[in-house]
Amino acid sequence: MKTLTILGSTGSIGRQTLEVAKHLGLKVIALTAHGNIELLEKQKDEFKPETVVLSSEPDGEAKLIDIAKNSGADIIVTAISGMAGLAPTLAASETGKRIALANKEPLVCAGEQVMQAAKKHKTEIIPVDSEHSAIFQCLKNKSEVSGSQVSKLILTASGGPFRGKSREDLESITPEQALAHPNWNMGKKISIDSATLMNKGLELIEAMHLFGVSPDKIEVVIHPESIIHSMVEYTDGSTLAQLSVPDMRMPIQYALTYPERKPSLSAPLSLAKLGKLTFEEPDLDTFPCLRLAYQAAKLGQSACKILNKTNEKAVELFLSGKIRFLDIPKMIENAIYSDASSRV
Ligand code: NDP
Ligand code: MG
């Protein structure tokens, strides 16, 4: 039986990972949370892990890093939100085990270090993010990307709750409106990122590192139904896609069972009931965060780090009512370009 450590077990991905673990009969050996003691206690009673860590406690951060590195689990699920997951992700990448990677921000701000450490220690990184899981499932092997067989990775984006809106419409958006995603029920930070399209920007940088491709080989297409989770276009003009209902338990399970497939908790897809799937170009003028992410990706890791850090700060300020929705891209643009000009 495979064993599991979940970093961030009280969050949206963490809770769904526990559902999948229960369904698959996997043994959970360590769980971590930050503030939600009550839920962590409940999870402890139900799953009986050997270790639980509350990272908000005085020495919690050191314990979190220790458990990421030394729990001995076959699979470490990284489900912490934001840059707080960087040190534990780096620690997990030195284990030589498998990382089921949901926490994308560490790849955005330090992708080179994470991927290098994983390579050095023969740690396998399997993506949980639905788009990257889709691409991973469509690729036979990574050499197709580094060789001349893949012409493009195509990331699909739902467009978030404000698809089709104008800049004027977005002036007075409240955090409550921005948190209400049409297709996915997620943590607060990623929900705001989905509303600004920054989530797709972070995923673009995540894909660069996971699959070793340059940003000009990654395209984003809006697909509001969230049925096609992403695609790989090959040089012969053939495009492979992965389809399923939008349910994170599916890519979570695949990252745990890969290379096998097992019956899952998700409902199968009924294409006839869906009737049609639609696609459109992203609107980069109304949602500049995606354009900024492309620019940062081309500028390099230092710009990606600033993009990620400033975005995290801006999302926090927006959620606490201190800045407006449209200030988020403004703050990021200022931060990237004041850094770039200070380097000239
Ligand atoms: P949540 O906000 O729901 O959960 C975050 C988890 O991290 C919680 O367990 C939380 O603990 C813990 N945490 C928060 N702050 C810290 C900290 N400073 N140190 C240590 N642990 C902390 O996030 P999601 O589950 O939505 O997202 C997790 C990651 O997965 C993100 O990087 C996101 O981008 C990615 N992702 C999420 C998807 C989704 O559907 N939700 C889809 C694809 C990717 P506590 O609750 O106890 O405070
Ligand atoms: Mg995603």
Side-chain angles (χ1 to χ4, degrees), residues 48 70 87 122 126 146 171 232 286 301:
K48 315 231 167 352
N70 303 315
K122 299 195 166 50
I126 312 289
S146 55
E171 292 279 357
V232 177
T286 311
Q301 189 162 293

Side-chain angles (χ1 to χ4, degrees), residues 105-342:
E105 291 87 350
L107 280 187
V108 176
C109 61
E112 287 164 23
Q113 287 88 319
V114 175
M115 296 311 289
Q116 267 167 24
K119 194 171 172 195
K120 182 171 164 200
H121 297 274
K122 299 195 166 50
T123 302
E124 189 182 26
I125 298 186
I126 312 289
V128 166
D129 212 349
S130 55
E131 296 75 5
H132 307 75
S133 174
I135 290 169
F136 184 74
Q137 293 180 57
C138 292
L139 288 170
K140 272 206 294 293
N141 53 58
K142 269 178 117 178
S143 63
E144 290 179 332
V145 184
S146 55
S148 56
Q149 300 193 51
V150 168
S151 52
K152 231 190 263 168
L153 303 181
I154 304 166
L155 294 174
T156 53
S158 69
F162 307 132
R163 183 177 61 87
K165 299 255 189 253
S166 66
R167 280 186 78 80
E168 293 85 77
D169 297 332
L170 299 183
E171 292 279 357
S172 55
I173 288 299
T174 64
E176 289 68 35
Q177 290 169 310
L179 286 170
H181 196 278
N183 302 350
W184 302 96
N185 187 4
M186 309 177 286
K188 283 187 178 173
K189 178 189 184 256
I190 184 174
S191 296
I192 302 301
D193 287 345
S194 299
T196 60
L197 283 203
M198 181 52 96
N199 184 48
K200 215 47 55 180
L202 302 180
E203 290 182 354
L204 153 81
I205 301 165
E206 182 184 10
M208 280 168 56
H209 291 293
L210 285 173
F211 304 110
V213 287
S214 57
D216 51 297
K217 275 183 116 180
I218 307 175
E219 190 178 289
V220 172
V221 66
I222 303 290
H223 166 47
E225 296 86 2
S226 297
I227 296 294
I228 295 184
H229 297 297
S230 276
M231 298 171 254
V232 177
E233 184 191 280
Y234 287 87
T235 41
D236 60 1
S238 181
T239 299
L240 299 191
Q242 184 262 334
L243 289 76
S244 71
V245 294
D247 182 342
M248 282 309 294
R249 294 175 304 180
M250 178 90 87
I252 291 171
Q253 171 162 319
Y254 191 68
L256 304 182
T257 62
Y258 169 81
E260 282 179 53
R261 288 186 185 271
K262 296 201 169 152
S264 81
L265 294 162
S266 310
L269 195 58
S270 171
L271 286 173
K273 261 196 202 140
L274 276 165
K276 63 179 178 189
L277 299 177
T278 59
F279 305 92
E280 58 196 60
E281 296 266 352
D283 174 356
L284 300 188
D285 294 326
T286 311
F287 300 97
C289 283
L290 179 56
R291 176 173 45 78
L292 290 168
Y294 266 106
Q295 289 167 352
K298 286 178 188 154
L299 283 166
Q301 189 162 293
S302 158
C304 292
K305 201 169 162 180
I306 291 164
L307 171 103
N308 188 58
K309 194 173 153 191
T310 315
N311 178 56
E312 215 158 302
K313 184 78 210 158
V315 169
E316 236 178 76
L317 291 172
F318 171 67
L319 283 171
S320 59
K322 298 204 176 81
I323 62 169
R324 288 174 312 163
F325 188 73
L326 292 176
D327 293 330
I328 299 174
K330 278 186 205 151
M331 263 181 78
I332 298 167
E333 182 151 22
N334 286 341
I336 293 177
Y337 290 102
S338 65
D339 176 74
S341 61
S342 73

Side-chain angles (χ1 to χ4, degrees), residues 8-14 32-36 55 64 79-82 84 102-105 129 186-188 190 248:
S9 64
T10 47
S12 160
I13 294 289
T32 85
H34 196 64
N36 197 342
S55 49
L64 170 62
I80 290 173
S81 169
N103 184 197
K104 63 192 84 177
E105 291 87 350
D129 212 349
M186 309 177 286
K188 283 187 178 173
I190 184 174
M248 282 309 294

